[in-house]
Amino acid sequence: MNNKMRIKTPFIMVTSTSYNNQTKYHTHFHYEIYYFRGGKVNYLINDRIHVLEPGDMLLMHGMTLHKAHIINNDAYIRTTLHFDPSFFKQYIQPASAPDLLAPFEKLHNIRLQLRNEDKAEVEAELQKLEELYLQHKPHAHLRFQARLLDLLILIYDLCEKPLQTVSSFPTFKEQHVQSIISYIEAAFREEITLDAIQNELHLNKYYLSKTFKEVTGMTIFQHLMHRRIYQAKLELIELGNSITEIGYEVGFKHPSHFSRVFKEHTGMTPERYRKKHKLHASSSRFNS
């Protein structure tokens, strides 16, 4: 198994055997495809425990608290693929296809127990994806995107029956948190206040703040800052706009505030981040 990890914005893919049981519950902006290959592990997603078996796949939208707990220090082998849902919808999702992210957004961190032909097909797809992910060859990133599309179509087919029966979020709290996340995704470039969210969702802002922290482990404005900084990182690599223009574009009113928050999140200034990652732009637009 390959334990190396290279981060390619907006994708992160790795097969690993190492893990620290002290890892805390965490959330992330990316959606996650988690495929369990071997070991003995309980996987906790919010308040639900999954006792995993080889061939199990978890589809997670990331903003629900989750962590693994290893039993008896057994070898823990899994493949994880994180991807940016906004990037997928904008650049990969075909207009003629169904919403391929529906399994992540409507099935609430579903567990698929893959066996026989389904297991073999998914493992073959993951192996090819990881091979492409680690390549420096020309157009490898384009082939990776094509393979990712194929994998998500396969996952959508595997989830077709569950999607037909799903009706709503399991709790009002999760539904309200998803509404907040959707609102931020649509408006993160603009000024966002608790009053604005309250008016949009017709729910008390104090309830919304408390519920968001309870479900995700972070505040609404921490999530907003993560979203803005993530977008800034993409634009610093992809676009030639000035640092100040990008700060304004992703929702910051003052360049000094943008630089300070960016450094808090990344450990470097926007200028340094751009200089470092532009060095890799010629070989792969996704190096990070």
Side-chain angles (χ1 to χ4, degrees):
M1 291 292 177
N2 178 17
N3 290 321
K4 296 181 179 179
M5 182 174 75
R6 293 178 61 230
I7 297 177
K8 297 184 176 184
T9 305
F11 309 108
I12 306 170
M13 187 172 189
V14 60
T15 295
S16 180
T17 60
S18 61
Y19 188 76
N20 181 354
N21 246 345
Q22 301 304 312
T23 300
K24 298 179 180 179
Y25 276 100
H26 60 281
T27 63
H28 44 72
F29 175 75
H30 284 60
Y31 287 3
E32 179 175 354
I33 299 169
Y34 170 104
Y35 183 73
F36 182 61
R37 295 180 178 273
K40 192 171 182 181
V41 62
N42 291 339
Y43 207 97
L44 291 73
I45 305 178
N46 209 8
D47 59 352
R48 186 173 182 183
I49 299 175
H50 297 276
V51 181
L52 298 183
E53 299 177 8
D56 284 358
M57 174 180 282
L58 300 174
L59 307 178
M60 296 182 278
H61 61 64
M63 290 309 298
T64 303
L65 288 166
H66 58 278
K67 73 182 295 290
H69 180 67
I70 312 306
I71 310 298
N72 298 330
N73 294 318
D74 287 356
Y76 172 38
I77 309 169
R78 73 283 189 195
T79 297
T80 58
L81 171 57
H82 298 76
F83 66 96
D84 174 11
S86 297
F87 184 93
F88 181 84
K89 286 182 178 180
Q90 185 173 358
Y91 296 110
I92 303 178
Q93 165 82 38
S96 58
D99 181 5
L100 297 176
L101 298 188
F104 299 85
E105 296 168 350
K106 296 182 179 180
L107 297 180
H108 324 302
N109 308 300
I110 189 174
R111 172 189 181 183
L112 299 175
Q113 296 180 288
L114 305 176
R115 304 295 182 264
N116 303 320
E117 293 85 359
D118 290 339
K119 181 175 181 288
E121 185 174 8
V122 166
E123 288 186 355
E125 289 285 347
L126 290 172
Q127 179 179 345
K128 187 59 180 179
L129 272 166
E130 193 162 12
E131 289 172 359
L132 291 168
Y133 179 81
L134 294 170
Q135 285 183 11
H136 291 283
K137 295 179 180 179
H139 307 305
H141 62 282
L142 294 176
R143 295 181 63 199
F144 179 91
Q145 290 183 47
R147 280 280 178 172
L148 177 60
L149 174 60
D150 190 51
L151 176 63
L152 288 182
I153 293 172
L154 171 59
I155 288 173
Y156 186 91
D157 287 343
L158 292 170
C159 294
E160 187 171 8
K161 287 185 178 179
L163 282 170
Q164 290 174 351
T165 59
V166 69
S167 58
S168 64
F169 284 87
T171 69
F172 283 117
K173 286 185 177 180
E174 288 191 8
Q175 183 177 8
H176 295 155
V177 168
Q178 185 59 58
S179 295
I180 296 170
I181 292 172
S182 298
Y183 176 82
I184 289 174
E185 181 61 28
F188 71 88
R189 298 177 186 272
E190 305 165 9
E191 182 178 3
I192 292 180
T193 65
L194 286 177
D195 286 333
I197 298 174
Q198 175 178 262
N199 293 337
E200 177 71 19
L201 302 183
H202 306 291
L203 292 167
N204 180 272
K205 61 185 178 183
Y206 302 109
Y207 162 80
L208 292 173
S209 296
K210 180 177 181 294
T211 299
F212 194 93
K213 181 68 179 291
E214 179 182 330
V215 172
T216 70
M218 67 176 70
T219 69
I220 291 174
F221 288 100
Q222 284 173 332
H223 173 69
L224 174 61
M225 289 301 107
H226 278 293
R227 183 65 184 95
R228 285 175 172 171
I229 294 303
Y230 182 81
Q231 187 67 31
K233 288 163 69 176
L234 290 179
E235 295 191 11
L236 285 167
I237 297 171
E238 297 291 328
L239 305 181
N241 297 5
S242 70
I243 303 296
T244 298
E245 288 174 331
I246 289 175
Y248 288 140
E249 176 66 20
V250 300
F252 290 91
K253 288 186 174 181
H254 303 290
S256 59
H257 185 216
F258 170 52
S259 294
R260 177 173 60 79
V261 174
F262 191 93
K263 188 171 184 179
E264 288 174 356
H265 279 73
T266 66
M268 62 184 77
T269 64
E271 292 84 356
R272 173 63 180 160
Y273 185 90
R274 168 176 272 177
K275 182 178 180 181
K276 177 181 178 181
H277 295 282
K278 280 290 188 181
L279 294 175
H280 307 289
S282 59
S283 61
S284 172
R285 65 182 294 193
F286 301 126
N287 286 350
S288 174

